[in-house]
């Protein structure tokens, strides 16, 4: 007996002829701006965490601990309380992403983006006005709910709205705006670091990107897939006509969307259960876990969060460390722009390979310099030229991430799942990512204190593992319409054993 049918595909992948219309471009631009929310928080946390007025008000014991740790540069900022300020947001985001899966399916992608923007605005206002730790933590939780909802809905909106020929570039826009948010946060931190109230400005300005996504989402139409799923086929056809242009075969695309939705309704058990228990969904399950796990193990998240603290560790002053974080953010933004230009020309796997090799080299370089110049004890001072070399290797690592895992970590999960498990698959991707972000941010400074320079060799080893995994197990998805994505699993050397050979992937073998 067949398992959960996913996406009917009775032939080769089809291009419906959709053009890059102004409507689809503007819709995707607004949705991609949801990345500003996540990016701003990633960039702001590390800078605020090393501002002395902020530490004096909320974490005075951290300053005392820092003074006591002066003999070991690796342990300068080792404090679970301080890292909890950063990581607590991601526990709330993890819960929100799981709730958002059901809400997204029932209410649509647009509604969830609106909710995410509103929650993030409330969180930014509360953290900026905080007078005690309780307000600070509640505000961080609201920010986490906003991140969880937005990360769930925006990538799905982008993948479902974009024409297949430009889906990679348009979906990568989410990571571009995320990087823009990081850079903006680093600039704000640098500009406000000298003022006693600077931390309030840095935290409170989180409301600005929240307003952008909330107001922009008010003018969006939901995706055709979501509209069909909620029983609104006429609105779905109107949306397709508007975003695909007059030359597209709208009726053919709508029929395939309707077939996919109808197939999803034939299963009466939940999407999470189907993905976890049915053999035909094995490729999706493995990648739903592996992609966000490897995304975190590139090491870029902790380097982005704690870049100012890492630069302080190798000898930069406070303002120079914040400027180093600005440089790092700018490099990431440029790399993402380059990725956007080539992602739909050369495909996903080439970028994964190039970026993986580059990141591994950079991490090994950082480990070597820090081991040779700071030493195992962490008591040696690093000469300025070597500190600059660490900055250069960090930027090299960031650039490699920026044109590989950065955008592709969002692109791949948004396009590989069939419609019946798409919300669940994206929820799993987001929740695993947020869970590991919590673990990474909570443990990185302690790891740096314990493992010292070997911390960066640890991440280099993981980058090597994930690059081999991608080479072996990720099929190329460039230019394949979402409704025909099932064909890639039939052709893959390994995953074809889990699906039927008739082109209807996702039908479980029994």
């Amino acid at each position: 007996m067949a398992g959960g049918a996913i996406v009917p595909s009775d032939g080769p992948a089809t291009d419906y002829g959709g053009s890059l219309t102004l409507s689809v471009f503007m819709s995707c631009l607004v949705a991609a701006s949801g990345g500003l929310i996540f990016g701003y928080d990633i960039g702001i946390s590390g800078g605020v965490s090393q501002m002395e007025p902020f530490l004096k008000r909320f974490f005075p014991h951290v300053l005392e601990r820092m003074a006591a740790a002066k003999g070991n540069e690796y342990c300068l900022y080792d404090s679970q309380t301080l890292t909890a300020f950063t990581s607590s947001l991601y526990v709330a985001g993890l819960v929100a992403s799981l709730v958002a899966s059901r809400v997204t399916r029932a209410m649509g992608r647009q509604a969830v983006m609106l909710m995410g923007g509103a929650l993030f605005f409330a969180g930014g206002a509360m953290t900026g006005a905080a007078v005690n730790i309780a307000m600070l933590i509640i505000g961080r939780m609201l920010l986490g709910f906003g991140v969880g909802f937005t990360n769930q809905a925006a990538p799905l909106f982008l993948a479902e709205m974009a024409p297949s020929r430009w889906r990679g570039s348009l979906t990568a826009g989410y990571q571009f705006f995320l990087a823009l948010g990081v850079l903006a946060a680093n600039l704000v931190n640098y500009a406000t670091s000298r003022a006693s109230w600077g931390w309030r400005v840095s935290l409170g300005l989180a409301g600005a990107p929240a307003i952008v996504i909330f107001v922009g989402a008010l003018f969006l139409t939901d995706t055709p897939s979501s509209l069909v799923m909620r029983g609104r086929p006429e609105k779905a056809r109107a949306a397709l006509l508007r975003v695909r242009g007059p030359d597209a075969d709208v009726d053919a695309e709508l029929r395939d969307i309707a077939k996919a939705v109808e197939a999803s309704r034939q299963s009466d058990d939940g999407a999470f259960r189907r993905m976890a228990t049915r053999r035909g969904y094995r490729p999706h399950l493995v990648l739903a876990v592996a992609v966000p796990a490897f995304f975190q193990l590139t090491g870029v998240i902790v380097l982005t969060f704690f870049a100012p603290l890492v630069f302080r560790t190798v000898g930069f002053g406070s303002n120079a460390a914040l400027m180093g974080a600005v440089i790092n953010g700018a490099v990431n933004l440029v790399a993402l722009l380059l990725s956007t230009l080539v992602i739909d020309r050369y495909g996903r796997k080439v970028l994964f390979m190039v970026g993986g090799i580059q990141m591994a080299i950079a991490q090994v370089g950082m480990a070597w310099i820090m081991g040779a110049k700071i030493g195992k004890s962490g008591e040696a001072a690093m000469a300025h030229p070597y500190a600059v070399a660490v900055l250069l290797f960090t930027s090299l690592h960031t650039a490699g991430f920026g044109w590989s895992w950065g955008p592709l970590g969002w692109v791949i999960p948004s396009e590989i799942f069939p419609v019946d498990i798409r919300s669940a698959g994206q929820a799993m991707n987001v929740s695993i990512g947020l869970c590991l972000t919590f673990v990474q941010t909570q443990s990185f400074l302690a790891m740096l204190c314990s493992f010292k320079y070997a911390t960066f060799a640890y991440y280099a080893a993981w980058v090597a593992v994930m690059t081999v995994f991608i080479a072996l197990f990720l099929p190329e998805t460039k230019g394949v319409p979402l409704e025909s994505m099932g064909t890639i699993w039939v052709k893959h050397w390994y995953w074809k054993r889990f699906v039927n050979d008739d082109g209807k992937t996702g039908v479980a073998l029994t």
Side-chain angles (χ1 to χ4, degrees):
M1 173 173 141
I6 298 180
V7 179
S9 179
D10 299 323
T14 304
D15 188 336
Y16 303 105
S19 59
L20 187 60
T21 63
L22 179 62
S23 178
V24 74
F25 179 78
M26 294 305 297
S27 295
C28 290
L29 184 67
V30 170
S33 68
L36 285 170
I37 289 176
F38 197 14
Y40 189 87
D41 181 78
I42 290 173
I44 214 69
S45 300
V48 168
S49 296
Q50 65 110 50
M51 292 184 183
E52 190 170 326
F54 175 78
L55 295 175
K56 279 183 177 179
R57 185 174 188 93
F58 297 104
F59 307 102
H61 59 284
V62 173
L63 290 176
E64 297 172 5
R65 185 182 181 92
M66 287 167 58
K70 286 294 184 181
N72 189 333
E73 295 295 330
Y74 292 113
C75 300
L76 193 61
Y77 287 93
D78 180 23
S79 168
Q80 290 299 297
T81 307
L82 180 60
T83 51
F85 160 73
T86 297
S87 61
S88 59
L89 177 147
Y90 300 99
V91 176
L94 169 62
V95 174
S97 64
L98 294 174
V99 174
S101 171
R102 292 184 177 274
V103 179
T104 301
R105 191 174 178 89
M107 300 179 61
R109 286 51 165 148
Q110 179 200 25
V112 175
M113 284 190 285
L114 286 169
M115 294 168 65
L119 287 166
F120 200 84
F121 179 84
M126 183 164 286
T127 53
V131 295
N132 52 47
I133 290 183
M135 285 185 68
L136 197 66
I137 297 303
I138 292 172
R140 293 290 291 175
M141 291 176 66
L142 289 171
L143 290 170
F145 292 142
V147 167
F149 274 86
T150 306
N151 282 4
Q152 165 71 13
L156 289 183
F157 184 97
L158 289 164
E160 292 179 348
M161 195 65 84
S164 59
R165 284 178 289 175
W166 293 280
R167 189 177 61 245
S169 296
L170 292 175
T171 307
Y174 187 82
Q175 180 67 19
F176 171 80
F177 277 98
L178 191 154
L180 186 62
V182 171
L183 179 59
N186 288 332
L187 288 169
V188 170
N189 281 338
Y190 183 76
T192 62
S193 61
R194 295 177 179 85
S196 61
W197 40 262
W199 63 270
R200 290 194 183 276
V201 175
S202 293
L203 293 176
L205 280 178
I211 290 173
V212 171
I213 182 62
F214 182 85
V215 173
L218 289 173
F219 297 95
L220 293 180
T221 298
D222 218 335
T223 67
S225 293
S226 179
L227 289 168
V228 171
M229 190 176 298
R230 290 181 288 133
R232 302 176 183 177
E234 291 304 319
K235 286 190 175 182
R237 189 176 189 280
L240 277 174
L241 284 171
R242 182 163 56 255
V243 299
R244 293 291 184 259
D247 298 328
D249 192 350
V250 169
D251 291 326
E253 184 171 0
L254 186 62
R255 281 195 302 271
D256 283 347
I257 291 173
K259 286 179 183 178
V261 171
E262 182 59 30
S264 73
R265 289 172 177 161
Q266 293 174 1
S267 298
D268 56 4
D269 53 351
F272 284 109
R273 183 184 301 175
R274 288 200 301 276
M275 193 159 48
T277 61
R278 298 195 178 187
R279 182 178 172 85
Y281 292 98
R282 195 67 50 80
H284 310 90
L285 176 64
V286 171
L287 290 171
V289 174
V291 171
F294 286 147
F295 184 95
Q296 296 295 322
L297 289 169
T298 60
V300 76
I301 293 293
V302 291
L303 281 177
T304 303
F305 275 124
F306 299 117
L309 307 188
V310 171
F311 295 145
R312 286 289 297 273
T313 299
V314 300
F316 285 105
S318 177
N319 291 328
L322 289 173
M323 179 51 69
V326 171
I327 293 171
N328 217 32
V331 168
N332 189 27
L333 198 62
V334 172
L336 281 163
L337 282 172
L338 293 175
S339 175
T340 301
L341 296 175
V342 301
I343 190 172
D344 285 315
R345 176 176 297 181
Y346 299 110
R348 284 58 162 153
K349 296 188 72 168
V350 170
L351 295 182
F352 270 128
M353 297 300 102
V354 173
I357 293 170
Q358 183 173 329
M359 285 190 290
I361 292 172
Q363 293 277 23
V364 170
M366 291 174 65
W368 176 71
I369 292 176
M370 295 181 76
K373 298 304 172 183
I374 297 181
K376 294 182 179 180
S377 66
E379 296 178 357
M382 183 180 288
H384 184 70
Y386 292 100
V388 172
V390 170
L391 172 60
L392 291 176
F393 273 119
T394 304
S395 297
L396 180 68
H397 179 273
T398 300
F401 177 84
W403 52 56
S404 62
W405 279 92
L408 294 173
W410 298 102
V411 171
I412 295 300
S414 70
E415 63 185 8
I416 63 170
F417 298 111
V419 67
D420 65 321
I421 61 167
R422 192 169 294 154
S423 291
Q426 181 65 11
M428 183 176 289
N429 174 62
V430 172
S431 59
I432 290 173
L434 290 173
C435 179
L436 290 176
T437 300
F438 167 76
V439 173
Q440 296 261 79
T441 53
Q442 189 65 33
S443 63
F444 175 70
L445 294 179
M447 183 187 298
L448 184 62
C449 183
S450 299
F451 291 179
K452 302 176 175 59
Y453 60 88
T455 300
F456 302 100
Y458 165 83
Y459 285 115
W462 273 114
V463 170
V465 169
M466 67 183 69
T467 302
V468 173
F469 176 89
I470 290 296
L472 293 176
F473 296 109
L474 180 71
E476 181 58 66
T477 58
K478 179 187 73 171
V480 181
L482 292 183
E483 292 71 34
S484 301
M485 196 62 70
T487 59
I488 66 173
W489 309 110
V490 175
K491 299 174 183 177
H492 191 269
W493 71 273
Y494 180 75
W495 299 124
K496 65 183 180 181
R497 71 187 64 186
F498 296 97
V499 296
N500 285 341
D501 58 2
D502 60 358
K504 298 181 179 180
T505 71
V507 180
L509 297 177
T510 55

